[in-house]
Amino acid sequence: MVDEKKVNQVVESGNGNGKGFELPLLLFAGFRSIIDALHRDLAEHGHPETRPAYGFALQAVGRDGAAIGEIGRRLGVSKQAAGKTVEKLEALGYVERAPDPADGRRTLIRLTPHGADLLARSAEGFDRLRAEWARALGGERLAALERDLRAMAPSGAFRLDAAGWFTG
């Protein structure tokens, strides 16, 4: 039986009374504020069509490139879904296809200079945004928050397939 009093508690929240559902929402809101600010900055610096999922995908391509099947495994999606993402990234100029020097039958997906620029600007942007949080919260408070989150995150918790949570 659904408790009718709790159905809308998420949208009616915001009073800071420590309800269990607020913690993941606050963590997500913090994540979202960083990602949104980063993408506004990226748009101003030559990457207007970039989406958060593209960062995960470019990380899955990696420095040395990867086959589409490997990109799919790294992202936790099917080879077909990875292929569609690669096609979009290729159309935007972030990746290119190249023969695998170790196996001529295989095609690697590699970062283009435009893709490498996106990742470099993203890294710089994350550093800048972290510094803004440190100024707002205080360096020691931010460092403590990061330590606490590391302590609560299970070992190996960071996976590139996090984007898959939002796509089904």
Side-chain angles (χ1 to χ4, degrees):
M1 180 58 75
V2 173
D3 182 349
E4 295 295 325
K5 294 177 185 174
K6 292 187 176 186
V7 171
N8 289 322
Q9 67 182 347
V10 172
V11 293
E12 295 169 4
S13 167
N15 61 7
N17 61 5
K19 298 280 188 187
F21 64 84
E22 288 180 317
L23 177 60
L25 291 176
L26 290 168
L27 290 168
F28 182 70
F31 169 80
R32 181 68 192 257
S33 71
I34 290 171
I35 296 301
D36 289 349
L38 176 71
H39 282 267
R40 282 190 300 274
D41 186 60
L42 290 171
E44 292 173 7
H45 292 94
H47 302 282
E49 295 186 38
T50 301
R51 302 290 174 261
Y54 298 171
F56 288 107
L58 291 174
Q59 291 293 329
V61 169
R63 204 174 299 168
D64 299 324
I68 288 178
E70 180 61 23
I71 293 168
R73 281 189 293 282
R74 291 175 182 175
L75 293 173
V77 300
S78 69
K79 185 177 178 179
Q80 292 78 12
K84 285 183 179 184
T85 300
V86 165
E87 286 175 11
K88 182 67 174 174
L89 293 173
E90 191 174 27
L92 293 170
Y94 292 120
V95 298
E96 63 187 2
R97 296 170 195 263
D100 184 342
D103 182 350
R105 299 167 296 172
R106 233 171 65 130
T107 299
L108 285 180
I109 307 304
R110 297 187 319 199
L111 296 174
T112 63
H114 191 55
D117 180 69
L118 173 62
L119 289 180
R121 286 186 187 275
S122 294
E124 292 166 2
F126 282 128
D127 288 344
R128 180 183 50 75
L129 290 163
R130 186 191 181 282
E132 287 178 15
W133 277 48
R135 280 191 297 280
L137 300 175
E140 186 48 44
R141 280 187 68 199
L142 180 58
L145 174 62
E146 291 170 334
R147 281 191 304 275
D148 291 344
L149 289 170
R150 280 187 199 97
M152 296 307 297
S155 177
F158 179 76
R159 298 185 342 230
L160 292 175
D161 69 346
W165 299 342
F166 303 108
T167 59

